[in-house]
Amino acid sequence: MSIAPNRVVIVGAAAGGLATGEALRRAGHRGVITLVGAEPRLPYDRPPLSKQVLAGQWTPGRLALRTEADIDALGLELRLGVPATGLDTGRRVVTLADDTRVPYDALVVASGVRARRLAGTDGLVGVHSLRTLPDALALKERLRSGRHLAIVGAGFVGAEVAATASDLGVRVTLLESGPVPLAPVVGEEAGQIITRLHAEHGVTVRTQVSVTGVVGTGDGLTGVRLADGTVVPADDVLVAIGSVPNTEWLADSGLPVHDGVVCDEYSAAAEDVYGVGDVARWYNPLFDTDMRVEHRTNAAEQGMAVAGNILGERRPFAPVPYFWSDQYGTRFQAYGHLRDHDEAAVLNSDRLLVAYRRADRLVGVLAADTSPKALRAWRALIAARALWTTALTTAA
């Protein structure tokens, strides 16, 4: 196998970017690999930010995805703390914030996402987002017993922080614009089960509310204002209303961008340009749909697949996506593509086991505290594109 191209530039120094670089080296690539990262830190793990870091169970040092020695052994050209600001695909050059031009033979777009902000709250003390280690540490310092945290957005990030804060003795109000938290992803019945779990742990869940801003004085934040004029008291606010793909640096590149960088089944956005991780919207032939997946496992798997394609393997990236969420000592795990389902069948409400149908196929499963063996069986059915009726019969 050829080990060309010689120079690979990876923009994004998180799990996906690191996995790409590691896989290239394992496959025998001896050329220059430049790893560009907006943050000044070596690659670190993000899922623990909303759980172990906020709870004070992990120190920042434990988040490192690899030791400094492991990173050194890869022989990467590191450009950390200097984000990419532009791309010229004709000349094959990436421009960085310090005006450095980095040439490439193959480019990996792994620039990730950032937290969506609440309009008019930038820079306000007591208003938080949660995407980076500094975000988590800033919020952690505010989570003390007896304080009140309002969380805008009851997705998985909001739900995980609600669970962590509640366990710390913080009074939590979870604010959701829809009628049932998480329903667009997991279905209404599963969303209601998860909502009850939060209520049982003292979290106040308010649905079908619209947040218009925050209220405060010179001494700090005092609450969150809703569209009906009422104010929810709060000492701090976490804005967890989704993410924005970091694609601004691609604005004049000619690459297709639509809620992420648009890629084909090989994760390719253009000739010798690939997308990896949260920022990549690629066509997954297993589910016959475009998807953008913001999960740690997917980023690593896509990075490894892209490394192979850079080196000439030309294999479609057709995974069964996987994610997990820890809340109140319960581990929720899911395989497949849960969004855009036609049916969510709750097969067990006590331990939460939900199967998802799209057309006549099984496309996903969500379970709480279920054995790895049982989950692997569901995953195999999804990977085999099992008929819905066959899958339910087999599971029974």
Side-chain angles (χ1 to χ4, degrees):
M1 179 188 296
S2 170
I3 61 171
N6 179 60
R7 186 172 188 112
V8 179
V9 174
I10 303 169
V11 177
L18 177 61
T20 309
E22 288 181 321
L24 285 168
R25 290 302 191 216
R26 282 196 304 269
H29 183 71
R30 295 291 177 262
V32 177
I33 301 176
T34 303
L35 186 64
V36 177
E39 293 186 67
R41 298 167 180 80
L42 290 173
Y44 63 88
D45 209 7
R46 296 184 192 274
L49 295 179
S50 60
K51 299 176 281 287
Q52 292 90 340
V53 172
L54 278 188
Q57 297 167 350
W58 285 20
T59 62
R62 190 171 174 181
L63 294 175
L65 289 172
R66 299 291 182 271
T67 65
E68 288 190 30
D70 290 336
I71 297 293
D72 288 344
L74 293 173
L76 305 177
E77 180 181 270
L78 296 176
R79 297 303 308 273
L80 302 180
V82 189
T85 56
L87 170 63
D88 185 331
T89 54
R91 293 186 172 86
R92 297 196 173 206
V93 171
V94 174
T95 302
L96 306 186
D98 62 0
D99 289 330
T100 300
R101 268 70 172 173
V102 184
Y104 67 85
D105 299 312
L107 171 66
V108 177
V109 178
S111 45
V113 299
R114 63 186 182 278
R116 192 180 298 278
R117 307 290 295 184
L118 190 63
T121 63
D122 287 349
L124 293 181
V125 174
V127 179
H128 307 266
S129 57
L130 185 59
R131 181 65 195 171
T132 67
L133 177 57
D135 291 340
L137 294 177
L139 181 56
K140 173 181 176 293
E141 291 303 309
R142 309 278 292 188
L143 297 183
R144 298 190 295 275
S145 180
R147 290 177 66 83
H148 194 162
L149 173 68
I151 301 176
V152 183
F156 278 106
V157 171
E160 288 180 356
V161 174
T164 302
S166 179
D167 286 343
L168 293 172
V170 177
R171 291 180 295 157
V172 180
T173 300
L174 197 53
L175 303 170
E176 168 59 35
S177 61
V180 179
L182 292 166
V185 180
V186 304
E188 286 197 7
E189 192 170 351
Q192 289 168 348
I193 292 171
I194 296 172
T195 300
R196 286 198 295 271
L197 178 64
H198 283 276
E200 289 167 1
H201 285 81
V203 172
T204 299
V205 182
R206 296 188 59 177
T207 59
Q208 293 183 292
V209 295
S210 176
V211 173
T212 58
V214 298
V215 180
T217 67
D219 296 327
L221 193 74
T222 59
V224 177
R225 180 179 288 110
L226 305 183
D228 63 6
T230 61
V231 174
V232 176
D235 300 302
D236 290 274
V237 175
L238 171 68
V239 180
I241 54 176
S243 62
V244 180
N246 292 321
T247 55
E248 288 77 9
W249 66 284
L250 303 174
D252 298 320
S253 67
L255 294 184
V257 173
H258 175 67
D259 186 36
V261 59
V262 180
C263 304
D264 63 14
E265 66 267 37
Y266 302 100
S267 300
E271 183 180 2
D272 297 320
V273 180
Y274 300 85
V276 163
D278 298 2
V279 74
R281 173 170 292 280
W282 92 102
Y283 174 74
N284 186 333
L286 180 62
F287 299 93
D288 189 26
T289 191
D290 292 334
M291 58 177 63
R292 186 172 67 82
V293 178
E294 295 185 27
H295 301 307
R296 160 88 159 72
T297 304
N298 184 78
E301 290 178 349
Q302 192 166 28
M304 290 185 284
V306 161
N309 287 337
I310 287 174
L311 299 179
E313 289 185 2
R314 291 289 291 173
R315 293 181 182 176
F317 181 55
V320 177
Y322 167 77
F323 75 87
W324 76 95
S325 177
D326 294 327
Q327 300 174 39
Y328 306 109
T330 296
R331 169 154 288 195
F332 299 95
Q333 297 181 82
Y335 279 109
H337 184 52
L338 278 55
R339 286 188 180 275
D340 303 319
H341 57 262
D342 295 321
E343 180 182 356
V346 178
L347 307 180
N348 186 330
S349 59
D350 292 334
R351 297 181 62 84
L352 190 61
L353 176 62
V354 189
Y356 297 86
R357 175 183 65 82
R358 186 179 182 192
D360 62 349
R361 303 287 170 174
L362 172 74
V363 293
V365 64
L366 170 71
D369 293 337
T370 299
S371 72
K373 181 179 180 181
L375 280 173
R376 284 196 297 270
W378 281 102
R379 182 193 181 283
L381 288 169
I382 297 167
R385 301 192 73 248
L387 288 169
W388 176 249
T389 53
T390 301
L392 294 190
T393 302
T394 301

